[in-house]
Amino acid sequence: MSSSPFKTQNWPTEIRYKSTQKTLEIDFDDGVSYSYTSELLRVESPSAEIRGHDGVKKIMAGCQNISIVDIQPVGNYAVRLTFDDDHNTGIYSWSYLRYLGDNRDEIWATYLNALSENNLKRDR
């Protein structure tokens, strides 16, 4: 039986959004802290719009200067982020946010390569 890459035993102890840097910072209960750019969170949204209804992930271009305009708790397991392009359908579980933080460099490199391969740009 395979395990999900999104399982974690770690819970956030503090969440801060720094609007001038457009970063979401999360401190986890094991002492690990991550800073996520709004761009990374937008292009890696767990929504069906991005993950694909058919299982094919959509490449989001033009998100370099995107901002988070609202953060709402979803139960005790996640947050819903609203971006200034009105995207708000992704629910970011603590385990998914931890996965993004733990694998940020690889995920970011994959994103940049996908943009390049498809002649897409980060800016709007």
Side-chain angles (χ1 to χ4, degrees):
M1 178 157 98
S2 65
S3 64
S4 167
F6 305 131
K7 289 187 178 180
T8 185
Q9 299 301 315
N10 304 112
W11 294 86
T13 57
E14 189 171 346
I15 300 172
R16 299 170 299 280
Y17 182 65
K18 296 193 170 183
S19 58
T20 55
Q21 293 98 348
K22 299 180 182 183
T23 58
L24 183 70
E25 296 178 347
I26 300 178
D27 300 335
F28 288 93
D29 60 4
D30 63 347
V32 173
S33 297
Y34 288 114
S35 178
Y36 309 84
T37 64
S38 298
E39 181 181 11
L40 173 70
L41 293 168
R42 178 62 176 96
V43 302
E44 292 297 326
S45 172
S47 68
E49 172 195 348
I50 302 302
R51 293 288 159 218
H53 297 282
D54 56 1
V56 177
K57 185 177 178 223
K58 181 178 178 182
I59 302 167
M60 290 296 303
C63 293
Q64 184 173 20
N65 294 310
I66 200 127
S67 296
I68 295 171
V69 296
D70 193 34
I71 302 169
Q72 292 294 318
V74 177
N76 64 356
Y77 69 94
V79 289
R80 178 186 309 272
L81 303 178
T82 301
F83 296 89
D84 62 3
D85 67 352
D86 293 328
H87 176 74
N88 68 354
T89 58
I91 296 176
Y92 295 77
S93 68
W94 307 139
S95 57
Y96 183 61
L97 287 164
R98 182 61 185 248
Y99 167 80
L100 286 177
D102 288 344
N103 299 283
R104 180 180 45 213
D105 293 342
E106 180 182 336
I107 291 166
W108 187 248
T110 299
Y111 169 65
L112 294 177
N113 287 336
L115 286 176
S116 178
E117 289 172 1
N118 290 280
N119 295 316
L120 299 171
K121 298 193 183 304
R122 290 177 57 210
D123 59 344
R124 291 183 189 187

